[in-house]
Amino acid sequence: MSVEKPVVSLADLCSRYEGLLVPDERQGFEGYLISPDHLISFCRSLRDDVGYDYLSSVTGVDNFPAEQMEVVYHFYRTTGGPSFNLKLQVSRHNPVVPSLVPLYPGADFQEREAWDLLGIRFEGHPDLRRIMMWEGFEGFPLRKDWREPFFEDEAKPFKSRWPDGQVIRSEDQNPYKNNVRYPNDFDPEQWTPVGDDALYKGMLNLSQNIQSEFKTDQIVVNLGPQHPSTHGVFRMVVVLEGETVLSLKPVMGYLHRNHEKIGERNTFLQNMPFTDRLDYISSMSNNFGYALAVEKLMGIRPPERAEYIRVMMAELTRFLNHIFSIGFLLNDLGAFFTPALYAIEERELILDVFEAVSGSRMMCNYFRFGGVARDLPDGVLEKIKELVNDRLPRKLEEFERYLTKNDLVRIRCEGVGVLSPEEAIALSAAGPILRASGVPYDVRRADPYSIYDRFDFDVAYGLHGDIYDRYLVRVEEMRQSLRILKQVVRDIPEGPIMSGKPQYQARVPPGEAYGRVEGPKGELGFYVVSNGKPNPWRYHVRAPSFINLTSLATMAKNQKIADVVAILGSIDIVLGEVDR
Amino acid sequence: MMDEDRLSREEFSIPVELQRQVAIATLDKIYNWSRRNSLWPMMFGLACCAIEMIGAAAGRYDFSRFGTEVMRPSPRQADVMIVSGTVTKKMIPTIVRLYNQMGEPKYVIAMGACASGGGPFKEGYNVVPGVDRFVPVDVYIPGCPPTPQALLYGLIALQKKIDTESIKTARWYKKEPSVPIPIPVLGPDLIDPRDLSAIKERSQKKSQEEPEAATGDEEGIVHVS
Amino acid sequence: MNGWGIIQGLGVTLKHFLKTYLEDIRKGKGRYFTEEGVRERSASSVTGVFTVQYPEEKLILPEEFRYLPFLVYDELPDQERKIRCTSCGICAKVCPPQCIWIKRAIDPDTGRPKPTPAEFYIDVDICMNCGFCAEYCPFDAIKMDHDYEIASFDRKAEHVYSMEKLLKSASYYEEIRPKNFAREEAARLEKEAKTS
């Protein structure tokens, strides 16, 4: 990573673009508006001269009924600091925006997502296909005037539930008696599925350019969506020559559960349990990110004790996520289930804590705006203390003795799936992937939130960017989490756990907020726009698993097919978050 | 271990010295007993519930105690498909294909609210409201997600269901071959090949009405099961 | 190199393997099929066998554990049931997947709404077990159940819970959540003392 001094300051750059760059003056909004014509040149200067080298998130916003679409970019410096928000406004009829992929390759999937769900066309994007839905799907579902087949009302709570609630299944209200809708005059017998031709065609064209010494056939192999090593319903299309991967394309959307569309119908509070189901292994972290975003909008902060409880839960989550992911990485390497079984044993003990605190093992739904749902029940803090001070360090050490120096693990992992620091930044990789490549970027340090500035901990990072370093970074992060936890259980104060009275209808003033936390899988961001109503106007999740997958193709290139499985395991994806 | 209590018939008395080695039972009983204790699930996870399924397979709950430890990634070798999570429209063609590829006898457990009836994501545009719309489900387990113990309870329920079956009526010994379930097509929305005429009729009727036909009670619509 | 790492790793698995037997011998018979044994095997000091032999033994659920919601009624002396729900509709409004349907009772004489539900449905195929209904109910009328043994063979007939199926007694509630129950009773008595 280059830490050269920026050539110009941000203020310089902004003054150079005076007149073209307009501050966003809507109440509660920040950042700048720019016209599409100047986006590329401005962003080039922003990246090269000012040092905003990390494109965190690309969000499309539909400003219906205004004839306007908006694209919001959040840029960061990998040396730390707050974000720079840039916005583009284009006509809703024909929204065309220049693609940022040539400058920030990490925008690839995010732009495809905005195209898929909102119909914003990114000019210059190398592969603008649908990503969540399939080719041929009718409409752009996240547009405000697009209604799902089971549409009942613009916003929750639905009026049919009370006071005169007659239970009706949504199926019975739909003319097709199913969750479907078709265009007028649609004749299903005439329909030919579009299929994956565009996908395969692009890949084979790409691979024909490669010259090989030996004359071998190139074959296309589909791994998934039902494959034991893809960690869920994920699909990889691989072009192979012999056993070597020439190119790889991830295909997702098999678990696209319309999180954002549902989220915009929900009230602010109702979204909280839905965030549990994003990265369903680490629900507490998801709660944390969403609570931060909405609290930013509401302008409230939780009381001291709640902050400590939050950090405690988030770090326990990080521990259990990492130990789980290492267990399953070993599964992918072929150590069938034994390491995973040992990992799950520790995970179960932490889940017991979550169950006692929140009521559910996985779907905790524990955070509230301005605090947490309930105080720690009797005996739980003691249990956490036992875990943190005794059990988990001991088991972590045993885990390391078991795996770290294991020759087979090292042979399979060292030098495989290498991602250079430059590539990692450009591809917007986050979390352990980014840090294993030698970029010590951790949101807890770079842009501290909650009370992380009070704790002593080191940011773990690797040097080689291979699978083995990712493994080591995760182990070291678990150790650092335990270090934070020890400080938390030592210092946790008594006091209230909620600022103000618990309300089921949060009053959120108009504005936008981007709340981000360092989740176990990387930077987890929630972009929330409120228009003062009980429901968010726009609710977007910057999912680390999803964006980390952008780098999969780079890592897998020229590797052996057997290693692709291990590389995927080392990224540690959760499909609930990838597809949302 | 043989479970004499369940297997032996009471009418026949077995000499004490043979009681641990011999059992007299009907053919159905032996047949069901051997199948219920070797249910191999397909290694097939969809969403959140899959993590709880892994939890049920791991040390603490250990569903190998019920003979289900051999998780097979291939549908050809699996007896039971645990649909563990939200079934999306993009995924349902694959699920139906997997189900068709499973050899008889085959069972389906819908684990969790999503697989049973769409769950909290039911209102979403990419969600199939219940996997039973396409494949027959034997046991439904409510919960979001069902805890591993709830899943084990569901497995035991399936075993009980198997106990009631008989060779004489088993569908896989019938003369006529079993008809595979038609695989849904991804069109402008999900198309179930069994509903082609209903879809056509309805969408053409809709185009005559103006402009956005209101949902509600329509007459002349074939009821889709 | 030279496989020393593998040997060390195998040592770890061997230790785990031996411990499963050693712990059983050391702890003796009470380790299985007793509540104490289950408690011990789910404590953070557990070594050896970690398996809970469901269904013969079950994990001890923490008080806050939540599965599906149920409605609480108070038992009046003469076998009568007083439903706590006043059909205020907060649970239906706060429910994230909107799986609660309430029909408010109407007084047949006046035609005005009565503070009690005439019908109350929860579609458990939609419910996400989030616990908001119980958390925000101002009358402690809806609570989260501990019963997870509810697999069924027919969802269309059984999975929309009607009020009859949802109603459970306050003593059952006290049994599964003693601390919450005691706290709420104390708050209620205090409030009653204030108003009278």
Side-chain angles (χ1 to χ4, degrees), chain C residues 43-127:
Chain C
S44 65
S45 54
V46 60
T47 48
V49 172
F50 189 54
T51 310
V52 175
Q53 312 274 343
Y54 182 88
E56 286 83 12
E57 52 182 25
K58 291 171 188 172
L59 271 180
I60 294 144
L61 297 172
E63 185 170 340
E64 294 298 342
F65 177 77
R66 54 182 147 86
Y67 211 69
L68 294 172
F70 69 97
L71 289 172
V72 187
Y73 67 83
D74 288 311
E75 294 130 304
L76 298 183
D78 45 349
Q79 295 279 310
E80 231 179 288
R81 308 192 302 188
K82 185 181 170 290
I83 298 168
R84 286 187 181 180
C85 176
T86 63
S87 103
C88 70
I90 286 182
C91 52
K93 284 180 213 154
V94 78
C95 174
Q98 297 281 296
C99 69
I100 302 178
W101 283 264
I102 307 171
K103 188 169 181 177
R104 197 160 49 186
I106 304 284
D107 194 326
D109 302 333
T110 58
R112 289 231 191 105
K114 271 201 307 191
T116 184
E119 289 163 51
F120 199 110
Y121 299 99
I122 293 179
D123 188 341
V124 300
D125 283 340
I126 299 178
C127 175

Side-chain angles (χ1 to χ4, degrees), chain A residues 368-485:
Chain A
R368 298 286 178 272
F369 310 132
V372 290
R374 61 182 71 77
D375 208 342
L376 302 175
D378 297 338
V380 171
L381 191 61
E382 285 65 44
K383 178 150 193 186
I384 296 174
K385 275 181 183 162
E386 276 170 38
L387 282 174
V388 165
N389 291 323
D390 174 42
R391 168 98 187 182
L392 297 180
R394 195 154 43 85
K395 285 288 163 178
L396 183 59
E397 196 204 331
E398 187 188 270
F399 221 66
E400 272 228 276
R401 198 163 65 241
Y402 181 31
L403 297 174
T404 305
K405 289 201 182 120
N406 188 309
D407 312 283
L408 293 175
V409 173
R410 294 184 63 168
I411 291 165
R412 285 296 303 275
C413 294
E414 280 178 339
V416 177
V418 177
L419 195 68
S420 73
E422 294 78 21
E423 285 167 338
I425 293 172
L427 290 164
S428 298
I433 315 292
L434 181 67
R435 288 192 287 274
S437 290
V439 185
Y441 183 77
D442 187 320
V443 182
R444 291 175 295 173
R445 252 304 136 65
D447 190 10
Y449 54 94
S450 188
I451 50 166
Y452 273 107
D453 47 357
R454 295 185 200 172
F455 300 115
D456 240 359
F457 69 101
D458 298 323
V459 175
Y461 66 100
L463 296 171
H464 308 97
D466 54 6
I467 300 178
Y468 193 63
D469 271 18
R470 276 169 223 141
Y471 163 79
L472 289 180
V473 163
R474 291 211 169 90
V475 170
E476 183 57 32
E477 268 181 32
M478 283 194 267
R479 203 167 284 132
Q480 296 300 333
S481 284
L482 290 177
R483 197 168 145 197
I484 296 174
L485 279 166

Side-chain angles (χ1 to χ4, degrees), chain B residues 19-50:
Chain B
Q19 262 178 4
R20 290 224 138 243
Q21 289 127 43
V22 177
I24 299 174
T26 60
L27 195 58
D28 270 345
K29 256 196 172 169
I30 294 176
Y31 184 68
N32 289 338
W33 171 84
S34 46
R35 271 185 314 120
R36 75 199 286 282
N37 288 318
S38 66
L39 282 173
W40 291 5
M42 187 152 65
M43 192 191 265
F44 169 64
L46 287 176
C48 332
C49 290

Side-chain angles (χ1 to χ4, degrees), chain A residues 134 138 156 171 175-177 179 181-182 184-186 226 252 254 256-258 277 352 361-362, chain B residues 52 60-61 73 86 88-90 122-127 133 144 187-190 202-203 206 221:
Chain A
W134 57 89
E138 171 85 8
K156 288 177 187 173
E171 292 93 316
Y176 301 101
K177 308 290 174 204
N179 190 5
R181 48 173 262 172
Y182 303 99
N184 290 352
D185 249 337
F186 171 65
Q226 144 60 5
M252 52 263 265
Y254 294 97
H256 180 49
R257 300 193 277 197
N258 333 122
R277 286 149 181 86
D352 280 352
R361 290 152 47 83
M362 279 168 65
Chain B
E52 289 295 59
R60 188 174 231 177
Y61 305 97
T86 318
T88 62
K89 291 179 186 170
K90 201 170 173 177
K122 184 176 182 177
E123 61 196 284
Y125 48 85
N126 192 25
V127 177
R133 202 162 268 284
C144 187
D189 208 323
L190 191 73
R202 165 73 202 153
S203 64
K206 200 172 89 180
I221 303 303

Side-chain angles (χ1 to χ4, degrees), chain A residues 58-275:
Chain A
V58 180
T59 312
V61 184
D62 180 8
N63 282 341
F64 186 77
E67 278 301 312
Q68 187 189 61
M69 284 276 188
E70 199 171 300
V71 183
V72 184
Y73 301 92
H74 288 90
F75 297 95
Y76 285 94
R77 287 181 170 129
T78 45
T79 47
S83 70
F84 177 75
N85 307 353
L86 194 63
K87 287 159 200 180
L88 269 183
Q89 288 177 340
V90 285
S91 133
R92 199 165 172 276
H93 279 300
N94 182 26
V96 183
V97 172
S99 169
L100 275 188
V101 174
L103 288 174
Y104 296 93
D108 186 351
F109 288 177
Q110 304 190 59
E111 289 186 348
R112 274 178 69 190
E113 190 193 337
W115 157 244
D116 184 1
L117 302 180
L118 280 157
I120 301 172
R121 186 177 289 283
F122 289 87
E123 212 138 67
H125 191 289
D127 185 25
L128 197 65
R129 285 178 296 114
R130 283 192 179 260
I131 188 164
M132 292 302 168
M133 305 307 286
W134 57 89
E135 289 293 327
F137 182 76
E138 171 85 8
F140 301 109
L142 268 188
R143 289 197 173 192
K144 289 282 175 186
D145 51 352
W146 193 95
R147 287 173 172 183
E148 53 271 62
F150 279 173
F151 173 82
E152 193 171 335
D153 212 336
E154 285 298 341
K156 288 177 187 173
F158 298 145
K159 295 191 179 54
S160 66
R161 300 298 195 270
W162 177 87
D164 202 12
Q166 280 303 329
V167 56
I168 303 171
R169 290 180 196 268
S170 318
E171 292 93 316
D172 300 334
Q173 288 184 318
N174 183 287
Y176 301 101
K177 308 290 174 204
N178 194 357
N179 190 5
V180 289
R181 48 173 262 172
Y182 303 99
N184 290 352
D185 249 337
F186 171 65
D187 186 354
E189 280 147 16
Q190 303 295 319
W191 174 266
T192 39
V194 181
D196 289 330
D197 297 348
L199 167 72
Y200 296 135
K201 214 172 164 191
M203 293 186 74
L204 286 171
N205 282 348
L206 187 87
S207 53
Q208 267 160 13
N209 299 332
I210 295 166
Q211 297 292 317
S212 168
E213 247 178 86
F214 304 102
K215 179 110 182 65
T216 48
D217 273 345
Q218 292 177 357
I219 50 166
V220 178
V221 177
N222 272 296
L223 286 96
Q226 144 60 5
H227 189 276
S229 71
T230 50
H231 292 234
V233 283
F234 178 62
R235 174 173 158 212
M236 292 180 279
V237 185
V238 189
V239 175
L240 291 177
E241 185 165 308
E243 276 195 65
T244 311
V245 176
L246 290 183
S247 67
L248 180 148
K249 278 246 160 91
V251 183
M252 52 263 265
Y254 294 97
L255 191 57
H256 180 49
R257 300 193 277 197
N258 333 122
H259 193 88
E260 291 175 14
K261 186 81 178 175
I262 295 175
E264 287 166 19
R265 300 235 187 277
N266 283 348
T267 64
F268 283 95
L269 182 69
Q270 283 172 348
N271 271 336
M272 191 59 86
F274 277 96
T275 63

Side-chain angles (χ1 to χ4, degrees), chain A residues 9-26 28-36 38-39 42-43 46 50 52 70-75 83-89 512 527:
Chain A
S9 69
L10 189 60
D12 285 344
L13 182 69
C14 290
S15 62
R16 207 194 295 164
Y17 277 81
E18 204 174 354
L20 306 170
L21 199 66
V22 191
D24 190 351
E25 276 163 347
R26 289 171 288 180
F29 285 70
E30 51 182 295
Y32 292 90
L33 293 163
I34 195 168
S35 81
H38 302 96
L39 177 74
F42 178 80
C43 286
L46 189 71
V50 194
Y52 280 87
E70 199 171 300
V71 183
V72 184
Y73 301 92
H74 288 90
F75 297 95
S83 70
F84 177 75
N85 307 353
L86 194 63
K87 287 159 200 180
L88 269 183
Q89 288 177 340
E512 62 164 4
Y527 178 71

Side-chain angles (χ1 to χ4, degrees), chain B residues 68-88:
Chain B
T68 46
E69 77 271 39
V70 199
M71 283 241 198
R72 300 272 88 177
S74 160
R76 298 284 187 203
Q77 302 161 343
D79 301 308
V80 53
M81 178 159 91
I82 302 178
V83 185
S84 53
T86 318
V87 181
T88 62

